[in-house]
Amino acid sequence: MILMEFAMIGAGAMGLRYGILLQEAGNDVTFIDTWEPHIDKIRDQGGVYVSRDHQNRHLTPIKLETPESYSGDPDMFIFFTKQMQLQDYLDRCAHFFNDHSYAFTAMNGMGHIEKLQRYFADDKIIAGTALIATVLNGPGDVDFMGKRGAGKMNMANFTEQPDEMTHRLFDELEKAQMHPTLTTNFKGTLMTKVIFNSVINTLCTMFEIQMGELGNFPKAYDLGRQLIDEAYDICERAGIQLVSTREEEMTALDINTRIDMPLHYPSMYQDMIHDRPTEVDYINGYIADLGRQYHYEAKTHRFLTNLVHLAEYHRANEKAAHEAASIQAATSTAS
Ligand code: NAD
């Protein structure tokens, strides 16, 4: 029996994780992607290679379309793009959205909801957060980190009023062992995770370190506390009711880095090492911009946003210098 029909917009690390687990739970899932080397590889090999914690690599067949080739009308679209890719995906997919389409996402950062609102009615937007780590090793090859059933997620309706479709989605996520928690605090749920990421993702990415190295650093508490305090001060001014207290957030940072995932690199790090832009403007940058709206200057978040951009800039310069040196070496060998 087909339980629900999903279209995953973005078949990267998280789109594949959610989509394949929903497919294995009996749902009808189609993946929609635009990255050509990935699409070509999946078609050539007849699916996606899936591993769990680098083990048991096996081929999983999937249905894959591009925005231009897809014409379905699923129960739910699930968005897992990077924040800066979302608008392009929405533009290319707009032809198959309609007024009864539902959208769910658990992307990191903030900025995506306003974009989704231009295509989906408020009462059909469900968003959440995922404490689930996944790595796309390369085209057609994904690694689900953590044991089956590890990780958890939160979800909330934009209207804060769960409807029948919300409960159907919740049930399917539960069967897929995503461990969802349904809340009725939309902005607070999302912002609590943005703040969490503004410490771990940003610091680990900037120094290219595993989460355990941050957690075990003797001054980790001080670093986290400064960022947490700034962000919580801003949310208080903005009237956002976060889902954990400052102390609970500090404890969650400590447990997540030192105990739960010490060997993991956060997803932002994957972008940095692959010379892709990071989502820092939608995380620390978003917090700093929100502060300005309430006459609060989030100096630490602004400074960190600029430092991550400096790290991106440095890597781009190094890459360009390396490529120029390789071309020069090849030219002198040839002559
Ligand atoms: P991803 O980069 O793996 O995939 C997103 C899109 O980028 C897909 O369309 C994919 O095909 C494409 N892509 C991947 N590598 C590319 C490359 N080298 N060049 C061009 N295109 C490429 O992103 P993700 O990790 O699935 O993240 C989606 C959202 O979920 C983000 O907001 C992220 O912060 C969030 N998130 C990720 C994780 C994680 O562990 N990966 C955990 C929680 C939340």
Side-chain angles (χ1 to χ4, degrees), residues 4-28:
M4 267 181 92
E5 190 178 334
F6 292 100
M8 311 300 301
I9 312 274
M14 291 296 276
L16 287 170
R17 177 98 179 234
Y18 270 71
I20 287 172
L21 293 181
L22 286 167
Q23 179 173 301
E24 287 173 359
N27 296 285
D28 181 339

Side-chain angles (χ1 to χ4, degrees), residues 10-15 33-35 38 80-83 85 89 106-108 130 132-134 136 193 264 267 271 276 279:
M14 291 296 276
D33 208 84
T34 60
W35 184 29
H38 192 43
F80 271 119
T81 69
K82 288 280 159 58
Q83 287 278 354
Q85 299 171 311
Y89 264 97
M107 288 162 52
N108 282 336
I132 294 171
T134 311
L136 193 66
K193 177 75 178 340
H264 183 64
S267 56
D271 293 328
R276 297 174 73 199
E279 294 180 300

